Amino acid sequence: MGSVTTQLRASSSSSFTHSLAYDVFLSYRVADAHNNFTYNLHSKLLQQGIKTYLYRRGEEVPLPMLLKVIEESRVSIIIFTENFASSERYLIELVKILQCRESKKQIVWPIYYKVDPLDVRDQQDRFGEAIANHLCTFKDNIEKVLRWRAALTEATKLSGWYFLHGHESNFIHKIVEEISTQVLNAPI
């Protein structure tokens, strides 16, 4: 798939050129795609003309390729679900997304889908259990787990959306509106 050259504005008002393949990268734990929320969000973004990357259940995407897709996206949306932190792969994605936010001025928005942002920030409940398991698994590489913990905390400092219950369609509509404003109105 060919890349498009797009000009982005950094928050300092200076601009830079970067080759982008996608407008939006959706980071989510495939096994946690509750009630098709992520697939519905993806569909609505595509309907708005927003080129969005989503890998689906059963799709084998090598991690290096996935990290490249993150680099080639204008926006990353992290969908935190209760089991997000239990997988090394999604924590690696999270670290990469936050690195791209810093180095490439990528826009990053978290969505807390039926999880409390405080549980993510403080690694409590399922997030705490997952980190404790990673500490055991990676006892010879604690630095890796500490990076993941820091990334979880850092992500909660970003503006985003929180969904506990209600009408998902209204929630998705608000997200798509905001993303459309950022992506479709960005300078080219």
Side-chain angles (χ1 to χ4, degrees):
M1 189 163 249
S3 295
V4 194
T5 301
T6 307
Q7 188 159 3
L8 301 176
R9 295 225 178 262
S11 54
S12 66
S13 296
S14 64
S15 61
F16 64 96
T17 302
H18 181 69
S19 177
L20 298 173
Y22 296 95
D23 295 316
V24 174
F25 174 82
L26 293 176
S27 176
Y28 74 108
R29 190 166 189 277
V30 176
D32 284 354
H34 298 291
N35 300 322
N36 293 317
F37 169 78
T38 305
Y39 301 128
N40 291 333
L41 175 60
H42 178 248
S43 175
K44 294 296 182 189
L45 289 167
L46 291 176
Q47 288 173 14
Q48 288 295 314
I50 298 170
K51 193 172 178 185
T52 305
Y53 184 84
L54 173 82
Y55 53 93
R56 296 185 180 272
R57 185 183 308 262
E59 188 178 10
E60 292 295 324
V61 181
L63 188 58
M65 184 175 149
L66 200 58
L67 298 178
K68 178 109 173 105
V69 170
I70 291 169
E71 288 178 4
E72 294 179 348
S73 298
R74 181 190 314 233
V75 175
S76 282
I77 297 175
I78 307 155
I79 302 173
F80 288 110
T81 53
E82 66 182 356
N83 294 311
F84 181 92
S86 65
S87 170
E88 177 184 6
R89 182 179 182 109
Y90 302 109
L91 293 169
I92 291 169
E93 275 183 28
L94 175 63
V95 169
K96 182 63 170 184
I97 287 167
L98 294 173
Q99 288 171 347
C100 289
R101 178 179 180 266
E102 190 65 32
S103 66
K104 300 178 180 299
K105 305 302 180 205
Q106 186 179 92
I107 298 167
V108 178
W109 282 311
I111 295 175
Y112 303 94
Y113 186 82
K114 298 186 179 182
V115 296
D116 188 330
L118 294 176
D119 289 345
V120 178
R121 183 190 73 190
D122 299 333
Q123 285 96 59
Q124 301 176 138
D125 198 25
R126 289 283 183 90
F127 285 84
E129 292 169 17
I131 291 298
N133 289 335
H134 291 313
L135 285 168
C136 290
T137 302
F138 298 103
K139 59 184 167 222
D140 295 332
N141 192 356
I142 298 298
E143 296 80 24
K144 177 189 286 195
V145 181
L146 294 177
R147 279 192 304 274
W148 295 342
R149 290 187 74 182
L152 287 166
T153 301
E154 182 181 341
T156 63
K157 295 176 183 174
L158 304 174
S159 295
W161 297 276
Y162 174 65
F163 181 83
L164 185 56
H165 52 79
H167 297 286
E168 281 186 12
S169 60
N170 294 339
F171 182 65
I172 289 171
H173 179 75
K174 289 177 188 174
I175 294 168
V176 171
E177 271 186 351
E178 180 65 28
I179 294 168
S180 295
T181 301
Q182 291 293 322
V183 170
L184 299 178
N185 294 333
I188 295 179

